[in-house]
Amino acid sequence: MPSRKKPARRTRVLLGGAALAVVGAGVVGTVAANAADSTDAPPAAAPMAARGGELTQSTHLTLDAATKAARAAVDAAEKDGRHVSVAVVDRNGNTLVTLRGDGAGPQSYESAERKAFTAVSWNAPTSELVKRLAQAPNLKDIPGTLFLAGGTPVTAKGAPVAGIGVAGAPSGDLDERYAQAGAEVLGR
């Protein structure tokens, strides 16, 4: 009787894996077929539509407008030889555009976003909001905010639609002037 050679370990692992895959596929197929045949399952719910009186409409700045405003703010700063970062956020505080100018400090990026968020949240320039801290010092503890000059809101029909924040100039007054330059380009 000829001797049979024992299969290599690698061959045994491959064959065992293939056998498990076949068994697994059969089990999954059986479960799926049984689930599809079940008449006890409730029918899928139809999507429900909200009525007109349950909806609100809001105005949002377009990406093109946000980019135009951010670019105008960076350009105003560069004209003065300043290196800044600019952020534009939508009405909900979500970042639409962030530009980090050449040579802007690493801290300026996040500071610009937080100033923009703060400006749109309170629909006021952040330089004005700094003054409110005297009466309500806990305002500074609200997550995502930064109560330093350099943020300005953008409004439409009296309601805030965006915020522009600038950071990196030597003073908050300059940051806010550049943020205002970004907002002004939208009014033209």
Side-chain angles (χ1 to χ4, degrees):
M1 191 175 230
S3 72
R4 291 184 61 191
K5 199 170 165 188
K6 188 175 178 182
R9 178 176 173 90
R10 184 175 184 183
T11 304
R12 289 187 312 229
V13 169
L14 288 174
L15 288 174
L20 282 174
V22 169
V23 170
V27 169
V28 169
T30 303
V31 170
N34 287 340
D37 291 340
S38 175
T39 57
D40 297 335
M48 297 301 295
R51 295 176 294 227
E54 297 170 339
L55 301 174
T56 185
Q57 186 176 13
S58 63
T59 304
H60 291 268
L61 201 60
T62 66
L63 180 60
D64 287 341
T67 303
K68 181 179 170 182
R71 186 75 248 169
V74 168
D75 289 346
E78 286 177 350
K79 185 177 176 184
D80 288 348
R82 306 296 179 192
H83 307 288
V84 300
S85 290
V86 179
V88 180
V89 300
D90 68 11
R91 170 61 191 114
N92 301 321
N94 298 311
T95 303
L96 293 169
V97 175
T98 306
L99 297 178
R100 184 176 175 270
D102 294 335
Q107 78 290 354
S108 65
Y109 193 85
E110 182 180 348
S111 296
E113 286 183 329
R114 291 176 60 196
K115 288 179 184 183
F117 177 82
T118 305
V120 76
S121 296
W122 277 274
N123 193 24
T126 53
S127 60
E128 292 297 318
L129 296 171
V130 169
K131 297 171 189 173
R132 294 184 194 177
L133 285 178
Q135 287 77 35
N138 291 346
L139 282 178
K140 69 181 178 342
D141 298 332
I142 297 173
T145 60
L146 184 59
F147 290 87
L148 296 174
T152 191
V154 176
T155 61
K157 299 179 184 175
V161 295
I164 301 174
V166 176
S171 73
D173 293 339
L174 286 174
D175 285 339
E176 200 155 306
R177 185 170 82 191
Y178 304 140
Q180 188 61 39
E184 286 172 2
V185 77
L186 298 175
R188 294 182 192 155

